[in-house]
Amino acid sequence: FQAEDGIRDRSPSRGLGDVYKRQMCHITVRKAMEKVDGVVKATVDYDAKTATVLFDPNKTSIEAIALASTNIGYPAKVKTTK
């Protein structure tokens, strides 16, 4: 998954608080994705704005996992590879 273009941290800069907030963002996204029935594991790279998700396609879909991230304020789309 790839974060939508133009998505940035919406809160003003506050020094060390930014580091904490940034660390929490990837945890929040990971937990939202892992709550989707059928997701086994999600790994989020905040700096690259990507997530790698291991899931059971018989229980959920890529779209449902992306929606979980979008619903918490971090819009996501499927990243295609060639």
Side-chain angles (χ1 to χ4, degrees):
F1 294 93
Q2 178 77 41
E4 292 284 346
D5 291 337
I7 299 300
R8 301 285 181 258
D9 189 347
R10 287 165 259 143
S11 47
S13 178
R14 300 202 195 279
L16 289 178
D18 284 343
V19 173
Y20 175 76
K21 191 177 345 156
R22 201 169 140 195
Q23 290 172 342
M24 295 308 294
C25 289
H26 80 276
I27 293 169
T28 302
V29 172
R30 178 183 56 80
K31 285 184 175 184
M33 289 180 167
E34 287 180 342
K35 284 183 181 178
V36 176
D37 186 38
V39 171
V40 177
K41 181 179 181 179
T43 304
V44 178
D45 182 335
Y46 183 84
D47 292 325
K49 293 184 172 49
T50 60
T52 303
V53 183
L54 176 62
F55 67 97
D56 180 346
N58 294 315
K59 292 185 177 182
T60 193
S61 66
I62 294 170
E63 294 79 15
I65 299 166
L67 184 60
S69 181
T70 299
N71 286 343
I72 61 164
Y74 297 93
K77 62 181 178 182
V78 176
K79 180 179 177 182
T80 58
T81 57
K82 295 180 181 182

